[in-house]
Amino acid sequence: MSESTTGEAAAGAVGERFRELYGAEPQGVWAAPGRVNLIGEHTDYNDGFVMPFALPHTAVAAVSRRDDGILRLHSAEVAAPVVELTVDSLTPGADKNWTAYPAGVVWALREAGHAVTGADIHLASTVPAGAGLSSSAALEVVVALALNDLYALDLRGWQLARLCQRAENVYVGAPVGIMDQTASACCGSGHALFLDTRDLSQRQIPFDLAAEGMRLLVVDTRVKHSHSEGEYGKRRAGCEKGAALLGVDALRDLPYADLDAALERLGDGEDEVRRLVRHVVTEDERVERVVALLEAGDTRAIGPVLVAGHASLRDDFRVSCPELDLVVDTAVASGALGARMTGGGFGGSAIVLAEETDVPAITKAVEDAFTTAGFKTPRVFEAVPSAGARRVA
């Protein structure tokens, strides 16, 4: 089924539910995707490089604007009635529920000077929650795009991403970087997005695996993670400490060629900071290497780079878990071209790059390994680079 067909079907279902909830037609329906990050993990909040692509899985929102200061929110994924808020009362940190994500976007738009006076919103999502595939960013971006259109704000995708990041950082309280929101807002079908998170410059890199006889699998370990819990914040603070100790604005400013000398300058007792610095600097170099390989048409050669990225996340950044390691080790041992965890870590998903003909054997090997280890059965599906946020009805 094509992206356009999928979007039309989702728009119809979400629009119908909106009419049941609010007794009127929505003024439009919008969709924003989750994302897979091909390479470049924990580099975005270090002003570094990332390379995500959009999934066909989306958050879909039917929305109408209101002019009375009322914000009404409903989600198909939450067994609860419509939540009614007032835009004047939106306060960072006060909402600990799912509604903080769409309400935070309204707050961020208003804080930025945009006269958003309310909305009726019904949301549905096919982005797996807690799988490291940016379900929260998809939720934020779809609301931001809808309000951008309905209020004629004329904001571009990267600007909406910035506002959504602020909503999650300040309103929700999760210290995420800019990658997830930018991927959801700006990715293109059949491409990966090479993004410089410092200046938000972007380049669309062709990434059509099917045309080359390959597939990229996502293996959702079903181990849930939460970025707003302390481990993510600890690593971000450690990276900032490393930059300060090394006299740079951000770890992105430390040249790869100077890494060994820089690590030696870190004093005794800074082993943890040393590991964090090493991961970020080498990961930025891996992103640039993958871009060069893809642009040279040598797609299969990115496999070992993915594996090296996983080792760095496991050993230096220490954000992997037994389930993620099992996916990577089993896939590579079963003939995969490459594999690594994707997303913030502590659970979530891994990606596997494989020849099309090897996909059934690799999938079975991973599922059998999980059964043997006594883990939950993983969810395995193909990741097809898809369109970014758009209006669908």
Side-chain angles (χ1 to χ4, degrees), residues 113-176:
H114 303 292
V116 175
T117 54
D120 287 338
I121 300 174
H122 170 61
L123 292 148
S125 180
T126 59
V127 184
L133 303 175
S134 299
S135 57
S136 60
L139 191 65
E140 293 156 358
V141 169
V142 74
V143 171
L145 181 61
L147 297 176
N148 183 55
D149 287 355
L150 291 175
Y151 283 91
L153 303 179
D154 199 30
L155 297 170
R156 298 173 65 184
W158 67 268
Q159 293 172 304
L160 294 176
R162 278 282 196 213
L163 287 165
C164 290
Q165 182 200 18
R166 177 165 168 75
E168 191 154 355
N169 287 171
V170 180
Y171 197 88
V172 178
V176 299

Side-chain angles (χ1 to χ4, degrees), residues 109-358:
L109 284 165
R110 287 169 56 86
E111 281 286 299
H114 303 292
V116 175
T117 54
D120 287 338
I121 300 174
H122 170 61
L123 292 148
S125 180
T126 59
V127 184
L133 303 175
S134 299
S135 57
S136 60
L139 191 65
E140 293 156 358
V141 169
V142 74
V143 171
L145 181 61
L147 297 176
N148 183 55
D149 287 355
L150 291 175
Y151 283 91
L153 303 179
D154 199 30
L155 297 170
R156 298 173 65 184
W158 67 268
Q159 293 172 304
L160 294 176
R162 278 282 196 213
L163 287 165
C164 290
Q165 182 200 18
R166 177 165 168 75
E168 191 154 355
N169 287 171
V170 180
Y171 197 88
V172 178
V176 299
I178 191 63
M179 175 181 66
D180 295 351
Q181 292 82 2
T182 305
S184 186
C186 301
C187 277
S189 182
H191 291 75
L193 184 72
F194 178 38
L195 173 67
D196 182 332
T197 65
R198 170 166 284 168
D199 62 13
L200 297 190
S201 59
Q202 305 174 14
R203 195 157 88 237
Q204 298 283 350
I205 309 297
F207 192 54
D208 186 357
L209 294 173
E212 299 186 63
M214 288 176 284
R215 295 289 187 268
L216 191 84
L217 302 177
V218 173
V219 182
D220 176 5
T221 65
R222 300 186 185 272
V223 177
K224 302 302 182 186
H225 72 271
S226 176
H227 282 173
S228 54
E229 293 178 358
E231 292 300 321
Y232 185 102
K234 287 179 185 176
R235 281 154 182 79
R236 182 165 185 163
C239 290
E240 292 169 354
K241 180 180 179 181
L245 289 172
L246 293 168
V248 293
D249 291 336
L251 293 182
R252 177 262 182 72
D253 297 312
L254 184 61
Y256 177 71
D258 297 345
L259 176 59
D260 289 344
L263 294 178
E264 288 181 7
R265 295 207 313 270
L266 292 172
D268 294 338
E270 297 295 353
D271 288 346
E272 182 177 356
V273 170
R274 188 174 286 108
R275 288 194 304 268
L276 298 178
V277 170
R278 181 166 52 223
H279 167 73
V280 172
V281 176
T282 58
E283 186 80 345
D284 274 335
E285 190 272 339
R286 281 186 286 270
V287 176
E288 294 184 292
R289 215 185 322 161
V290 167
V291 170
L293 289 168
L294 291 179
E295 291 189 325
D298 197 4
T299 305
R300 285 172 173 81
I302 74 173
V305 187
L306 302 183
V307 176
H310 182 79
S312 181
L313 288 160
R314 180 193 64 213
D315 300 335
D316 277 343
F317 226 72
R318 300 189 178 185
V319 292
S320 190
C321 66
E323 291 85 352
L324 289 168
D325 293 341
L326 185 61
V327 174
V328 173
D329 294 344
T330 303
V332 172
S334 303
L337 296 165
R340 74 172 191 91
M341 58 157 282
T342 188
F346 310 107
S349 298
I351 56 174
V352 178
L353 179 67
E355 302 287 357
E356 181 180 5
T357 53
D358 292 337

